[in-house]
Amino acid sequence: DGQAAVNSKTAEPAIAEAGNAEAPTPAAAPGTAAAVPQGRTAPEATEMPGVQAAERPAGIAGADAAEAIKARVRALGGELVTRERELAETEAEYRRLMLRAPNPPSADTPVGASDADNMLVKTAGLLPVFGFKPLDHVELGERLGLLDPARGVKAGGPRSYVLKGAGLRLHHAVQRLALDVLEARGFTALEVPVIVRPEALERTGFWPGGEDQVYALTGENRMLAGTSEVSLVSLYSDEIVDVSEPIRLAGSSPCFRSEIGSAGRDARGLYRVHQFAKIEQVVLCENDPAVSEAMLQDILENAEHILRLLELPYRVMAVCTGDMSLKTHKQYDIETWMPGRDAYGETHSASNLLDFQARRSNIRYRDSEGRLRFCHTLNNTAVATPRILIPLLENHQREDGSVRIPEALRPYMNGLEELRAPG
Ligand SMILES: Nc1ncnc2c1ncn2[C@@H]1O[C@H](COS(=O)(=O)NC(=O)[C@@H](N)CO)[C@@H](O)[C@H]1O
């Protein structure tokens, strides 16, 4: 479900040069237009580089020489204007191309063409064995009074849903559980903007390319973010941060996606909808592949821990090159068993972006030698709902159509231990 990347149509701060994050703004050569404050003429020609400081001629000859030099200055001024326009055009083209330069995949990323080439890393939890034909989440949800898909469509059109009663409480419970797990693991819980500026999408690598995945607000230069990752990373843009301890952020937000290109895929139920909720993990750390690799394992484990608390069987996949978006260096997806599909379905996506986002967002830190370096950034889903309700309902269903609530979730459901059909 990641978002890919292509054309940019928005203003964009310059991409800092590779490697020299401390690149000072190049001082214009003395006497050139850039160095001459507005409204002043260039200093005496003899101070101009490249113009021979001729011997000061005496008398009439001197007047001719002065004229010649003034003509030269005018000519240089005209050439300067041309050169500066060419430079601006070249820099704009350079930035346009750099915005499309993909992040190199890690050496251990499987090479492949599509998700079919993703590699199994591990499976966890036992698949349920039902002594009966299991119902899918839509049937379960309607019988238990948790969903009302038909009425959702009336309001929102296709790929809309309605959560009702205990269905809504489950939706909140899984988010509260995820937030508690993350806060206990040093994450700061945040609610952040979902209405975002185009720059935020470009500086986090969703644009150029993901324009059609995003809903735009008519008449305003604002979009609805598909994930709070956009705002969480942008919180620190253009800042020098302290990552002596990694910065761990837990974002809670609705997410909006046009799902252009998904056509009729997963059109039934809660799997692929235009609006959903997610608790998002974002980490900023120092520019050290060993550190960000360790952080990737951390945020993966956080998600696995939540799945174990929900007592859901899952597997971890190493995502291949052909299934990664341009901003990703290394990615794992977690797929959770969905009996209604008799298959695993993606529920989490964990990525290490190295300095790809930090470079575009200009997020730096001072290393032990005092040098300014771009951070590494990572993200992973902690929980995305209502999609997670699919395995939650389907794996824990009983023959009588009731659904057991996992122990760890009960405190968030007022102690409720199971869901039963009303009446
Ligand atoms: N259209 C959708 N409907 C319901 N859930 C979705 C939809 N798109 C994505 N999700 C859920 O959100 C999770 C994360 O989405 S993602 O695009 O793969 N990755 C991100 O957004 C990253 N920021 C990590 O969370 C997915 O694994 C899936 O569980």
Side-chain angles (χ1 to χ4, degrees), residues 336-364:
T336 305
W337 181 249
M338 298 183 178
R341 302 171 147 227
D342 198 29
Y344 287 96
E346 184 207 310
T347 52
H348 299 72
S349 183
S351 302
N352 181 0
L353 308 176
L354 297 186
D355 60 0
F356 186 92
Q357 284 181 323
R359 183 179 298 280
R360 291 159 85 115
S361 297
N362 192 24
I363 305 172
R364 299 174 296 173

PDB file of all heavy atoms in Angstrom, residues 336-364:
ATOM      1  N   THR A 336      -0.964 -10.096   8.011  1.00  0.00           N
ATOM      2  CA  THR A 336      -1.687 -10.802   9.059  1.00  0.00           C
ATOM      3  C   THR A 336      -2.690 -11.761   8.441  1.00  0.00           C
ATOM      4  O   THR A 336      -3.309 -11.453   7.417  1.00  0.00           O
ATOM      5  CB  THR A 336      -2.389  -9.771   9.973  1.00  0.00           C
ATOM      6  OG1 THR A 336      -1.402  -8.840  10.460  1.00  0.00           O
ATOM      7  CG2 THR A 336      -3.046 -10.441  11.173  1.00  0.00           C
ATOM      8  N   TRP A 337      -2.840 -12.933   9.084  1.00  0.00           N
ATOM      9  CA  TRP A 337      -3.700 -13.963   8.502  1.00  0.00           C
ATOM     10  C   TRP A 337      -5.153 -13.507   8.494  1.00  0.00           C
ATOM     11  O   TRP A 337      -5.667 -13.049   9.525  1.00  0.00           O
ATOM     12  CB  TRP A 337      -3.555 -15.273   9.289  1.00  0.00           C
ATOM     13  CG  TRP A 337      -4.394 -16.380   8.746  1.00  0.00           C
ATOM     14  CD1 TRP A 337      -5.492 -16.947   9.334  1.00  0.00           C
ATOM     15  CD2 TRP A 337      -4.227 -17.027   7.488  1.00  0.00           C
ATOM     16  NE1 TRP A 337      -6.018 -17.914   8.520  1.00  0.00           N
ATOM     17  CE2 TRP A 337      -5.262 -18.000   7.372  1.00  0.00           C
ATOM     18  CE3 TRP A 337      -3.309 -16.904   6.417  1.00  0.00           C
ATOM     19  CZ2 TRP A 337      -5.401 -18.825   6.251  1.00  0.00           C
ATOM     20  CZ3 TRP A 337      -3.441 -17.715   5.306  1.00  0.00           C
ATOM     21  CH2 TRP A 337      -4.482 -18.679   5.228  1.00  0.00           C
ATOM     22  N   MET A 338      -5.810 -13.620   7.327  1.00  0.00           N
ATOM     23  CA  MET A 338      -7.201 -13.205   7.178  1.00  0.00           C
ATOM     24  C   MET A 338      -8.015 -14.409   6.701  1.00  0.00           C
ATOM     25  O   MET A 338      -8.065 -14.686   5.486  1.00  0.00           O
ATOM     26  CB  MET A 338      -7.314 -12.036   6.195  1.00  0.00           C
ATOM     27  CG  MET A 338      -6.561 -10.808   6.673  1.00  0.00           C
ATOM     28  SD  MET A 338      -6.773  -9.394   5.557  1.00  0.00           S
ATOM     29  CE  MET A 338      -5.819  -8.158   6.463  1.00  0.00           C
ATOM     30  N   PRO A 339      -8.648 -15.135   7.636  1.00  0.00           N
ATOM     31  CA  PRO A 339      -9.392 -16.341   7.267  1.00  0.00           C
ATOM     32  C   PRO A 339     -10.430 -16.112   6.165  1.00  0.00           C
ATOM     33  O   PRO A 339     -10.654 -16.952   5.312  1.00  0.00           O
ATOM     34  CB  PRO A 339     -10.058 -16.754   8.578  1.00  0.00           C
ATOM     35  CG  PRO A 339      -9.178 -16.198   9.644  1.00  0.00           C
ATOM     36  CD  PRO A 339      -8.658 -14.912   9.090  1.00  0.00           C
ATOM     37  N   GLY A 340     -11.052 -14.913   6.150  1.00  0.00           N
ATOM     38  CA  GLY A 340     -12.070 -14.617   5.134  1.00  0.00           C
ATOM     39  C   GLY A 340     -11.488 -14.649   3.735  1.00  0.00           C
ATOM     40  O   GLY A 340     -12.195 -14.871   2.763  1.00  0.00           O
ATOM     41  N   ARG A 341     -10.179 -14.421   3.622  1.00  0.00           N
ATOM     42  CA  ARG A 341      -9.518 -14.477   2.313  1.00  0.00           C
ATOM     43  C   ARG A 341      -8.756 -15.782   2.171  1.00  0.00           C
ATOM     44  O   ARG A 341      -8.195 -16.059   1.107  1.00  0.00           O
ATOM     45  CB  ARG A 341      -8.486 -13.341   2.168  1.00  0.00           C
ATOM     46  CG  ARG A 341      -9.055 -11.980   2.327  1.00  0.00           C
ATOM     47  CD  ARG A 341      -7.937 -10.912   2.397  1.00  0.00           C
ATOM     48  NE  ARG A 341      -8.436  -9.691   1.789  1.00  0.00           N
ATOM     49  CZ  ARG A 341      -7.767  -8.967   0.893  1.00  0.00           C
ATOM     50  NH1 ARG A 341      -6.555  -9.325   0.543  1.00  0.00           N
ATOM     51  NH2 ARG A 341      -8.291  -7.895   0.370  1.00  0.00           N
ATOM     52  N   ASP A 342      -8.648 -16.506   3.315  1.00  0.00           N
ATOM     53  CA  ASP A 342      -7.817 -17.704   3.361  1.00  0.00           C
ATOM     54  C   ASP A 342      -6.411 -17.348   2.880  1.00  0.00           C
ATOM     55  O   ASP A 342      -5.779 -18.065   2.102  1.00  0.00           O
ATOM     56  CB  ASP A 342      -8.393 -18.815   2.468  1.00  0.00           C
ATOM     57  CG  ASP A 342      -7.801 -20.178   2.861  1.00  0.00           C
ATOM     58  OD1 ASP A 342      -7.447 -20.347   4.053  1.00  0.00           O
ATOM     59  OD2 ASP A 342      -7.630 -21.019   1.965  1.00  0.00           O
ATOM     60  N   ALA A 343      -5.966 -16.162   3.317  1.00  0.00           N
ATOM     61  CA  ALA A 343      -4.649 -15.685   2.892  1.00  0.00           C
ATOM     62  C   ALA A 343      -4.169 -14.615   3.866  1.00  0.00           C
ATOM     63  O   ALA A 343      -4.964 -14.098   4.671  1.00  0.00           O
ATOM     64  CB  ALA A 343      -4.733 -15.080   1.486  1.00  0.00           C
ATOM     65  N   TYR A 344      -2.875 -14.309   3.778  1.00  0.00           N
ATOM     66  CA  TYR A 344      -2.344 -13.191   4.560  1.00  0.00           C
ATOM     67  C   TYR A 344      -2.695 -11.888   3.852  1.00  0.00           C
ATOM     68  O   TYR A 344      -2.756 -11.824   2.624  1.00  0.00           O
ATOM     69  CB  TYR A 344      -0.822 -13.309   4.664  1.00  0.00           C
ATOM     70  CG  TYR A 344      -0.334 -14.410   5.589  1.00  0.00           C
ATOM     71  CD1 TYR A 344       0.016 -15.666   5.087  1.00  0.00           C
ATOM     72  CD2 TYR A 344      -0.233 -14.190   6.958  1.00  0.00           C
ATOM     73  CE1 TYR A 344       0.455 -16.672   5.925  1.00  0.00           C
ATOM     74  CE2 TYR A 344       0.221 -15.194   7.804  1.00  0.00           C
ATOM     75  CZ  TYR A 344       0.559 -16.437   7.290  1.00  0.00           C
ATOM     76  OH  TYR A 344       0.986 -17.438   8.120  1.00  0.00           O
ATOM     77  N   GLY A 345      -2.921 -10.816   4.596  1.00  0.00           N
ATOM     78  CA  GLY A 345      -3.167  -9.493   4.011  1.00  0.00           C
ATOM     79  C   GLY A 345      -2.264  -8.488   4.702  1.00  0.00           C
ATOM     80  O   GLY A 345      -2.071  -8.553   5.920  1.00  0.00           O
ATOM     81  N   GLU A 346      -1.693  -7.555   3.905  1.00  0.00           N
ATOM     82  CA  GLU A 346      -0.766  -6.582   4.496  1.00  0.00           C
ATOM     83  C   GLU A 346      -1.455  -5.729   5.541  1.00  0.00           C
ATOM     84  O   GLU A 346      -2.525  -5.176   5.294  1.00  0.00           O
ATOM     85  CB  GLU A 346      -0.179  -5.686   3.398  1.00  0.00           C
ATOM     86  CG  GLU A 346       0.869  -4.701   3.929  1.00  0.00           C
ATOM     87  CD  GLU A 346       0.986  -3.451   3.092  1.00  0.00           C
ATOM     88  OE1 GLU A 346       1.124  -3.592   1.854  1.00  0.00           O
ATOM     89  OE2 GLU A 346       0.912  -2.355   3.664  1.00  0.00           O
ATOM     90  N   THR A 347      -0.829  -5.614   6.731  1.00  0.00           N
ATOM     91  CA  THR A 347      -1.383  -4.748   7.783  1.00  0.00           C
ATOM     92  C   THR A 347      -0.388  -3.714   8.269  1.00  0.00           C
ATOM     93  O   THR A 347      -0.767  -2.731   8.897  1.00  0.00           O
ATOM     94  CB  THR A 347      -1.816  -5.605   9.000  1.00  0.00           C
ATOM     95  OG1 THR A 347      -0.717  -6.450   9.384  1.00  0.00           O
ATOM     96  CG2 THR A 347      -3.021  -6.471   8.637  1.00  0.00           C
ATOM     97  N   HIS A 348       0.915  -3.907   7.991  1.00  0.00           N
ATOM     98  CA  HIS A 348       1.947  -2.969   8.451  1.00  0.00           C
ATOM     99  C   HIS A 348       3.031  -2.857   7.388  1.00  0.00           C
ATOM    100  O   HIS A 348       3.279  -3.821   6.679  1.00  0.00           O
ATOM    101  CB  HIS A 348       2.619  -3.477   9.734  1.00  0.00           C
ATOM    102  CG  HIS A 348       1.718  -3.650  10.906  1.00  0.00           C
ATOM    103  ND1 HIS A 348       0.780  -4.668  10.989  1.00  0.00           N
ATOM    104  CD2 HIS A 348       1.621  -2.946  12.060  1.00  0.00           C
ATOM    105  CE1 HIS A 348       0.151  -4.578  12.151  1.00  0.00           C
ATOM    106  NE2 HIS A 348       0.622  -3.542  12.813  1.00  0.00           N
ATOM    107  N   SER A 349       3.706  -1.711   7.363  1.00  0.00           N
ATOM    108  CA  SER A 349       4.791  -1.504   6.422  1.00  0.00           C
ATOM    109  C   SER A 349       5.883  -0.682   7.102  1.00  0.00           C
ATOM    110  O   SER A 349       5.610   0.450   7.532  1.00  0.00           O
ATOM    111  CB  SER A 349       4.251  -0.774   5.193  1.00  0.00           C
ATOM    112  OG  SER A 349       5.251  -0.615   4.252  1.00  0.00           O
ATOM    113  N   ALA A 350       7.072  -1.277   7.245  1.00  0.00           N
ATOM    114  CA  ALA A 350       8.178  -0.638   7.988  1.00  0.00           C
ATOM    115  C   ALA A 350       9.302  -0.293   7.023  1.00  0.00           C
ATOM    116  O   ALA A 350       9.729  -1.143   6.247  1.00  0.00           O
ATOM    117  CB  ALA A 350       8.686  -1.604   9.055  1.00  0.00           C
ATOM    118  N   SER A 351       9.765   0.960   7.067  1.00  0.00           N
ATOM    119  CA  SER A 351      10.799   1.390   6.110  1.00  0.00           C
ATOM    120  C   SER A 351      11.936   2.147   6.770  1.00  0.00           C
ATOM    121  O   SER A 351      11.713   2.963   7.668  1.00  0.00           O
ATOM    122  CB  SER A 351      10.179   2.304   5.049  1.00  0.00           C
ATOM    123  OG  SER A 351       9.139   1.644   4.364  1.00  0.00           O
ATOM    124  N   ASN A 352      13.142   1.915   6.249  1.00  0.00           N
ATOM    125  CA  ASN A 352      14.302   2.738   6.574  1.00  0.00           C
ATOM    126  C   ASN A 352      14.615   3.573   5.339  1.00  0.00           C
ATOM    127  O   ASN A 352      14.840   3.019   4.263  1.00  0.00           O
ATOM    128  CB  ASN A 352      15.509   1.855   6.923  1.00  0.00           C
ATOM    129  CG  ASN A 352      16.743   2.685   7.289  1.00  0.00           C
ATOM    130  OD1 ASN A 352      16.677   3.928   7.282  1.00  0.00           O
ATOM    131  ND2 ASN A 352      17.833   2.022   7.593  1.00  0.00           N
ATOM    132  N   LEU A 353      14.578   4.922   5.483  1.00  0.00           N
ATOM    133  CA  LEU A 353      14.751   5.796   4.321  1.00  0.00           C
ATOM    134  C   LEU A 353      16.144   6.415   4.291  1.00  0.00           C
ATOM    135  O   LEU A 353      16.435   7.283   3.462  1.00  0.00           O
ATOM    136  CB  LEU A 353      13.694   6.906   4.340  1.00  0.00           C
ATOM    137  CG  LEU A 353      12.245   6.416   4.497  1.00  0.00           C
ATOM    138  CD1 LEU A 353      11.303   7.573   4.601  1.00  0.00           C
ATOM    139  CD2 LEU A 353      11.858   5.513   3.365  1.00  0.00           C
ATOM    140  N   LEU A 354      17.025   5.981   5.218  1.00  0.00           N
ATOM    141  CA  LEU A 354      18.335   6.628   5.362  1.00  0.00           C
ATOM    142  C   LEU A 354      18.115   8.149   5.385  1.00  0.00           C
ATOM    143  O   LEU A 354      17.187   8.623   6.022  1.00  0.00           O
ATOM    144  CB  LEU A 354      19.296   6.199   4.247  1.00  0.00           C
ATOM    145  CG  LEU A 354      19.675   4.710   4.197  1.00  0.00           C
ATOM    146  CD1 LEU A 354      20.728   4.463   3.138  1.00  0.00           C
ATOM    147  CD2 LEU A 354      20.119   4.172   5.550  1.00  0.00           C
ATOM    148  N   ASP A 355      18.932   8.915   4.612  1.00  0.00           N
ATOM    149  CA  ASP A 355      18.815  10.373   4.719  1.00  0.00           C
ATOM    150  C   ASP A 355      17.945  10.973   3.601  1.00  0.00           C
ATOM    151  O   ASP A 355      17.922  12.186   3.417  1.00  0.00           O
ATOM    152  CB  ASP A 355      20.204  11.018   4.693  1.00  0.00           C
ATOM    153  CG  ASP A 355      20.966  10.717   3.399  1.00  0.00           C
ATOM    154  OD1 ASP A 355      20.385   9.998   2.544  1.00  0.00           O
ATOM    155  OD2 ASP A 355      22.097  11.165   3.237  1.00  0.00           O
ATOM    156  N   PHE A 356      17.200  10.148   2.895  1.00  0.00           N
ATOM    157  CA  PHE A 356      16.405  10.608   1.748  1.00  0.00           C
ATOM    158  C   PHE A 356      15.417  11.709   2.140  1.00  0.00           C
ATOM    159  O   PHE A 356      15.343  12.769   1.538  1.00  0.00           O
ATOM    160  CB  PHE A 356      15.657   9.414   1.155  1.00  0.00           C
ATOM    161  CG  PHE A 356      14.909   9.715  -0.106  1.00  0.00           C
ATOM    162  CD1 PHE A 356      15.500   9.547  -1.355  1.00  0.00           C
ATOM    163  CD2 PHE A 356      13.599  10.178  -0.065  1.00  0.00           C
ATOM    164  CE1 PHE A 356      14.807   9.822  -2.529  1.00  0.00           C
ATOM    165  CE2 PHE A 356      12.894  10.461  -1.231  1.00  0.00           C
ATOM    166  CZ  PHE A 356      13.503  10.283  -2.473  1.00  0.00           C
ATOM    167  N   GLN A 357      14.657  11.470   3.211  1.00  0.00           N
ATOM    168  CA  GLN A 357      13.676  12.477   3.641  1.00  0.00           C
ATOM    169  C   GLN A 357      14.371  13.642   4.355  1.00  0.00           C
ATOM    170  O   GLN A 357      14.008  14.798   4.155  1.00  0.00           O
ATOM    171  CB  GLN A 357      12.659  11.857   4.609  1.00  0.00           C
ATOM    172  CG  GLN A 357      11.627  10.980   3.949  1.00  0.00           C
ATOM    173  CD  GLN A 357      10.635  10.415   4.953  1.00  0.00           C
ATOM    174  OE1 GLN A 357      11.002  10.068   6.082  1.00  0.00           O
ATOM    175  NE2 GLN A 357       9.379  10.292   4.553  1.00  0.00           N
ATOM    176  N   ALA A 358      15.401  13.333   5.145  1.00  0.00           N
ATOM    177  CA  ALA A 358      16.064  14.400   5.920  1.00  0.00           C
ATOM    178  C   ALA A 358      16.740  15.386   4.983  1.00  0.00           C
ATOM    179  O   ALA A 358      16.737  16.596   5.216  1.00  0.00           O
ATOM    180  CB  ALA A 358      17.080  13.791   6.876  1.00  0.00           C
ATOM    181  N   ARG A 359      17.262  14.878   3.854  1.00  0.00           N
ATOM    182  CA  ARG A 359      17.925  15.778   2.897  1.00  0.00           C
ATOM    183  C   ARG A 359      16.901  16.718   2.285  1.00  0.00           C
ATOM    184  O   ARG A 359      17.092  17.920   2.208  1.00  0.00           O
ATOM    185  CB  ARG A 359      18.613  14.934   1.817  1.00  0.00           C
ATOM    186  CG  ARG A 359      19.416  15.684   0.787  1.00  0.00           C
ATOM    187  CD  ARG A 359      20.066  14.717  -0.211  1.00  0.00           C
ATOM    188  NE  ARG A 359      21.006  13.822   0.463  1.00  0.00           N
ATOM    189  CZ  ARG A 359      22.239  14.181   0.802  1.00  0.00           C
ATOM    190  NH1 ARG A 359      22.658  15.411   0.553  1.00  0.00           N
ATOM    191  NH2 ARG A 359      23.061  13.348   1.408  1.00  0.00           N
ATOM    192  N   ARG A 360      15.759  16.160   1.895  1.00  0.00           N
ATOM    193  CA  ARG A 360      14.733  16.993   1.246  1.00  0.00           C
ATOM    194  C   ARG A 360      14.082  17.932   2.257  1.00  0.00           C
ATOM    195  O   ARG A 360      13.686  19.038   1.932  1.00  0.00           O
ATOM    196  CB  ARG A 360      13.666  16.087   0.598  1.00  0.00           C
ATOM    197  CG  ARG A 360      14.170  15.304  -0.599  1.00  0.00           C
ATOM    198  CD  ARG A 360      13.302  14.100  -0.881  1.00  0.00           C
ATOM    199  NE  ARG A 360      12.146  14.401  -1.698  1.00  0.00           N
ATOM    200  CZ  ARG A 360      11.949  13.914  -2.926  1.00  0.00           C
ATOM    201  NH1 ARG A 360      12.883  13.163  -3.483  1.00  0.00           N
ATOM    202  NH2 ARG A 360      10.843  14.180  -3.590  1.00  0.00           N
ATOM    203  N   SER A 361      13.982  17.469   3.490  1.00  0.00           N
ATOM    204  CA  SER A 361      13.349  18.298   4.531  1.00  0.00           C
ATOM    205  C   SER A 361      14.370  19.124   5.293  1.00  0.00           C
ATOM    206  O   SER A 361      14.012  19.899   6.182  1.00  0.00           O
ATOM    207  CB  SER A 361      12.591  17.391   5.515  1.00  0.00           C
ATOM    208  OG  SER A 361      11.552  16.710   4.836  1.00  0.00           O
ATOM    209  N   ASN A 362      15.676  18.919   4.944  1.00  0.00           N
ATOM    210  CA  ASN A 362      16.761  19.667   5.588  1.00  0.00           C
ATOM    211  C   ASN A 362      16.719  19.506   7.107  1.00  0.00           C
ATOM    212  O   ASN A 362      16.634  20.481   7.863  1.00  0.00           O
ATOM    213  CB  ASN A 362      16.690  21.159   5.196  1.00  0.00           C
ATOM    214  CG  ASN A 362      17.953  21.900   5.601  1.00  0.00           C
ATOM    215  OD1 ASN A 362      19.019  21.292   5.752  1.00  0.00           O
ATOM    216  ND2 ASN A 362      17.831  23.188   5.835  1.00  0.00           N
ATOM    217  N   ILE A 363      16.750  18.247   7.544  1.00  0.00           N
ATOM    218  CA  ILE A 363      16.781  17.947   8.982  1.00  0.00           C
ATOM    219  C   ILE A 363      18.186  17.430   9.309  1.00  0.00           C
ATOM    220  O   ILE A 363      18.619  16.395   8.805  1.00  0.00           O
ATOM    221  CB  ILE A 363      15.739  16.869   9.360  1.00  0.00           C
ATOM    222  CG1 ILE A 363      14.342  17.290   8.910  1.00  0.00           C
ATOM    223  CG2 ILE A 363      15.772  16.602  10.872  1.00  0.00           C
ATOM    224  CD1 ILE A 363      13.282  16.207   9.074  1.00  0.00           C
ATOM    225  N   ARG A 364      18.928  18.217  10.138  1.00  0.00           N
ATOM    226  CA  ARG A 364      20.333  17.876  10.397  1.00  0.00           C
ATOM    227  C   ARG A 364      20.601  17.798  11.888  1.00  0.00           C
ATOM    228  O   ARG A 364      19.771  18.228  12.696  1.00  0.00           O
ATOM    229  CB  ARG A 364      21.221  18.951   9.757  1.00  0.00           C
ATOM    230  CG  ARG A 364      21.055  19.042   8.230  1.00  0.00           C
ATOM    231  CD  ARG A 364      21.840  20.198   7.641  1.00  0.00           C
ATOM    232  NE  ARG A 364      21.348  21.489   8.134  1.00  0.00           N
ATOM    233  CZ  ARG A 364      21.960  22.640   7.874  1.00  0.00           C
ATOM    234  NH1 ARG A 364      23.079  22.669   7.173  1.00  0.00           N
ATOM    235  NH2 ARG A 364      21.478  23.773   8.335  1.00  0.00           N
TER     236      ARG A 364
END
